[in-house]
Amino acid sequence: MAARIPRIAPSEITPPEAYFNRRAFLTGALAAGAGAALGRAAAAIVPAQSGAPLTYTIDAAESVEALVHAPGQNEKPNTWEQITHYNNYYEFGTGKSDPAEYAGQLQTRPWNVIVDGEAEVTGNFPLEEFLNPYALEERIYRFRCVEAWSMVIPWVGFPLATLLKRFKPTSRAKYVAFQTLYRPSQMPGQRLDILQWPYREGLRIDEAMNPLAFMVVGLYGRVLPNQSGAPLRLIVPWKYGFKGIKAIVRITFTENQPATTWSQAAPDEYGFYANVNPNVPHPRWSQATERRIGNPFFHERQPTLMFNGYANEVASLYKGMDLHRYF
Ligand code: MTE
């Protein structure tokens, strides 16, 4: 019998309109009928091939589907082709085109996620438990890689906070750690010594609870393709892209700051916080500007914004911290 995660009362979920301009968004099978027929424990997302239309049934009583634009985000999104053919995913190789070429072999169903550590509710949950009963939202977020390129991406998912609250973290939960699947048979990069596997990331609990932190299951209204981190990945839009861990299989609430892959691999170059910060150069290059993928003027660069343009929403998290030290 699959473990059950307690549902969260709608009143405990921060309404997105408190943070975003929202406009109504209805696509696919909004399933008043289907939801009722399947019952309240119905899976929220019907497993589908990567890139297929994202069809899902939701619990109409509690769900709102919303197209949510991140603040100040009026830029034109990158194309599906650009977003899915220029990736970092070392489990499939270090080249930008390797993930598109090799990630198809990863089987993303069945999929389980372990939740453990400092929380009242822990266990090993089938993915469907994770995806129910969220209302999926589309959020168009800027994405900034530490290598100084950037994109604008229409992700589909739900706030990380909504997920985490269901596990009732204890007062000792000061951080949340995430882990990627370890499956060298389908992830050829894991047979090589490029990084310490499995890939790990982490956030401070208040960062994780910030409404901008987002669990992603789709892209452009379609099922997330494997190279983009299917079936479940994290996006933290005010931080460099490497915080956005893909193919998540474990979430651990911890009292101490968890080890993270890139800060272990090169502690002088990649910090735990990894906030986008044009004022703190990477040891090998400036972070002051970025190159938007797809810009017809390939060499044209634009200024990088503090916290990737999300300072109004997140700067208060770092009040009093020396961001040169905690980079
Ligand atoms: N997650 C895993 N498991 N393995 C990785 O190599 N690369 C990170 C991050 N998440 C990575 C990962 C880095 S360095 C970046 S920039 C982003 O994923 C890239 O996300 P994208 O390919 O969707 O643009």
Side-chain angles (χ1 to χ4, degrees), residues 83 86-91 143 145 149 151 153 155 180 195 199 227-228 233 241-246 262:
I83 297 166
Y86 195 85
N87 299 98
N88 275 341
Y89 201 169
Y90 279 22
E91 283 85 342
F143 181 91
C145 182
W149 52 269
M151 294 201 209
I153 304 181
W155 300 113
T180 292
L195 288 175
Y199 196 99
Q227 63 265 40
S228 299
R233 62 105 41 104
F242 68 84
K243 296 300 279 189
I245 182 171
K246 299 177 172 183
W262 281 104

Side-chain angles (χ1 to χ4, degrees), residues 200 203 214 238 286:
R200 288 167 214 267
L203 295 170
F214 204 49
W238 69 95
S286 161

